[in-house]
């Protein structure tokens, strides 16, 4: 009698437990179907082409190294300076006009309106390859001097003379031997122009390479601050609205050279986003299983209590049987 009761009671206890586990197994897909049907937004699958399977070390090693500094700020290191500028029939300068010599650190050009102060900067912009619009002209031929005394001039030329020096105390400096050179540009009536380096005809690419080797970067033109540029920089948007739009963030990234880090950062952000989606899915499953487990906790405790009482009763009956025997 007692063994039969034990078997039947045990079966009665395990039956709802097995049924509950079966319901929990089928409940997970049911919950997912509800979410996909519109209950909660289901996690969107990340396109395969977006994810990169390379390891973090491979991604970091693929980042190009930062560009070497164009010049050093170490004390006693040689640096480039402009000695003078020679303008020939350029804008308001009729004939040949020599501007300079310039101070090794600071030079100031003063004069009344219309005296040609801005043309000094325009002559430098002309040599450094700026377009005619930046030099307040519609085309290059307009840069050629034209006046009643000097008519039908066919070309204009600007030459910027450089030398490398080593600073000493005060205004004194030492010129490095064989470091003098000049870059010139000549514009013609047909709006064409040619470049020369120390008298030898060169392309603008060659001019940029020579000046870049001395710390003058013509690609970004950060060494010249023109009138109104400070205000334009101050009025910039915090960030560009489109891919080709430039804001303060893009401007600073261009200056400090962090643009090379943009692609790896975006790649890692997409990977983190995909991993967060997977984590969210796993976490939802864990929470659902915990909820089902907590729902079965009460039934489990009742079953344990019932089995404990049943075993205690069986022991008492067994003691009674032993007593009569």
């Amino acid at each position: 009698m007692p063994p039969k009761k034990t078997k039947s009671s045990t079966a009665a206890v395990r039956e709802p437990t097995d049924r509950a586990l079966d319901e929990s197994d089928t409940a997970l897909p049911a919950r997912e179907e509800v979410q996909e049907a519109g209950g909660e937004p289901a996690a969107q699958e990340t396109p395969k082409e977006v994810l990169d399977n390379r390891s973090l070390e491979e991604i970091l090693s693929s980042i190009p190294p930062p560009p070497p500094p164009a010049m050093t700020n170490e004390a006693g290191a040689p640096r480039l300076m402009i000695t003078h500028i020679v303008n020939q029939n350029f804008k308001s300068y009729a004939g040949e006009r020599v501007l300079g010599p310039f101070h090794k650190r600071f030079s100031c050009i003063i004069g009344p309106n219309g005296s040609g102060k801005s043309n000094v900067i325009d002559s430098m912009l002309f040599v450094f390859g700026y377009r005619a619009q930046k030099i307040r002209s519609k085309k290059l031929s307009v840069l050629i001097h034209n006046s009643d005394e000097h008519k039908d001039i066919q070309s204009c030329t600007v030459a910027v003379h450089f030398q490398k020096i080593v600073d000493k105390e005060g205004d004194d400096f030492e010129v490095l031997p064989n470091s003098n050179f000049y870059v010139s540009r000549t514009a013609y009536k047909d709006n064409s122009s040619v470049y020369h380096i120390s008298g030898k005809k060169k392309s603008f690419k060659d001019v940029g390479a020579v000046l870049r080797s001395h710390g003058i970067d013509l690609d970004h033109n950060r060494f010249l601050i023109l009138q109104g540029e400070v205000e334009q920089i101050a009025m910039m948007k915090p960030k560009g609205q489109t891919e080709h739009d430039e804001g303060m963030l893009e401007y600073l990234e261009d200056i400090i050279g962090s643009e090379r880090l943009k692609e790896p950062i975006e790649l890692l952000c997409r990977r983190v986003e995909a991993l967060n989606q997977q984590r969210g899915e796993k976490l939802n499953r864990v929470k659902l299983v915990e909820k089902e487990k907590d729902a079965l906790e009460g039934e489990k405790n009742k079953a344990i209590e019932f089995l404990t009482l049943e075993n205690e009763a069986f022991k008492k009956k067994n003691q009674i049987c032993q007593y009569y025997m």
Side-chain angles (χ1 to χ4, degrees):
M1 292 293 293
K4 291 183 180 179
K5 286 185 179 181
T6 304
K7 290 182 180 180
S8 61
S9 60
T10 305
V13 172
R14 290 181 178 176
E15 185 176 0
T17 305
D18 295 338
R19 188 183 303 113
L21 291 175
D22 293 338
E23 290 176 359
S24 65
D25 292 338
T26 57
L28 289 175
R31 292 285 182 91
E32 292 178 354
E33 291 176 0
V34 171
Q35 291 180 356
E36 294 178 359
E40 293 180 1
Q44 298 180 355
E45 294 184 359
T46 306
K48 294 182 180 179
E49 63 273 11
V50 175
L51 298 180
D52 195 329
N53 295 326
R54 291 181 298 170
S55 63
L56 179 60
E57 290 75 13
E58 293 175 343
I59 295 176
L60 296 179
S61 61
S62 65
I63 300 176
M71 60 183 298
T72 177
N73 294 324
E74 297 178 0
R79 65 181 181 88
L80 195 69
M81 69 164 287
I82 298 177
T83 59
H84 61 282
I85 301 175
V86 179
N87 287 345
Q88 185 175 5
N89 298 320
F90 180 79
K91 297 189 79 170
S92 62
Y93 299 103
E96 183 176 300
R97 295 289 186 269
V98 178
L99 307 177
F102 296 129
H103 190 266
K104 70 170 186 177
R105 291 193 182 277
F106 183 81
S107 298
C108 183
I109 301 174
I110 60 176
N113 293 337
S115 61
K117 300 186 302 296
S118 298
N119 289 342
V120 177
I121 300 298
D122 290 344
S123 64
M124 296 178 64
L125 297 178
F126 174 67
V127 173
F128 292 145
Y130 277 70
R131 294 184 177 181
Q133 289 84 350
K134 288 285 187 180
I135 318 175
R136 303 174 299 163
S137 302
K138 294 183 179 180
K139 50 187 178 180
L140 291 178
S141 60
V142 182
L143 302 176
I144 302 174
H145 177 78
N146 186 19
S147 63
D148 295 336
E149 299 178 358
H150 303 82
K151 294 183 178 180
D152 198 26
I153 299 176
Q154 298 300 315
S155 64
C156 66
T157 303
V158 177
V160 180
H161 292 253
F162 301 91
Q163 67 181 7
K164 298 197 80 172
I165 64 171
V166 176
D167 291 302
K168 293 186 176 181
E169 294 183 0
D171 295 339
D172 194 14
F173 60 87
E174 178 186 354
V175 180
L176 295 184
N178 302 321
S179 63
N180 300 76
F181 70 96
Y182 69 90
V183 177
S184 64
R185 183 183 183 186
T186 303
Y188 299 96
K189 277 287 188 178
D190 59 355
N191 296 313
S192 64
S193 66
V194 293
Y195 292 88
H196 292 82
I197 300 178
S198 297
K200 297 181 180 179
K201 187 177 180 180
K202 299 289 184 179
S203 65
F204 178 70
K205 185 177 180 180
D206 297 330
V207 173
V210 171
L211 294 180
R212 193 178 300 109
S213 65
H214 293 287
I216 301 177
D217 188 1
L218 297 183
D219 295 332
H220 299 88
N221 298 326
R222 304 303 183 201
F223 58 93
L224 283 173
I225 301 177
L226 304 181
Q227 184 178 1
E229 281 194 354
V230 176
E231 182 180 359
Q232 292 179 1
I233 294 173
M235 299 298 293
M236 273 186 173
K237 299 177 182 178
K239 187 179 181 181
Q241 302 296 323
T242 61
E243 182 180 357
H244 303 288
D245 191 13
E246 185 179 37
M248 181 63 73
L249 177 61
E250 290 78 13
Y251 189 79
L252 294 177
E253 286 182 342
D254 190 15
I255 293 176
I256 64 179
S258 60
E259 183 72 18
R260 61 191 181 88
L261 304 176
K262 186 175 181 181
E263 183 179 353
I265 290 175
E266 292 178 351
L267 173 62
L268 294 177
C269 286
R270 289 195 297 266
R271 182 176 295 184
V272 169
E273 183 179 358
L275 293 175
N276 284 334
Q277 290 180 358
Q278 296 178 9
R279 174 184 174 275
E281 294 175 359
K282 304 297 183 184
L283 187 61
N284 290 336
R285 282 181 167 271
V286 170
K287 290 181 178 180
L288 185 60
V289 172
E290 287 180 348
K291 185 177 180 180
E292 298 290 344
K293 179 181 74 68
D294 294 339
L296 296 174
E297 192 72 23
E299 299 294 334
K300 183 202 74 171
N301 294 335
K302 290 181 181 179
I304 293 176
E305 183 180 0
F306 174 78
L307 291 175
T308 302
L309 294 175
E310 189 177 49
N311 290 337
E312 190 67 25
F314 183 77
K315 288 181 181 179
K316 298 298 182 182
K317 290 180 180 179
N318 187 33
Q319 290 177 1
I320 294 174
C321 291
Q322 293 292 332
Y323 175 77
Y324 282 115
M325 290 177 61

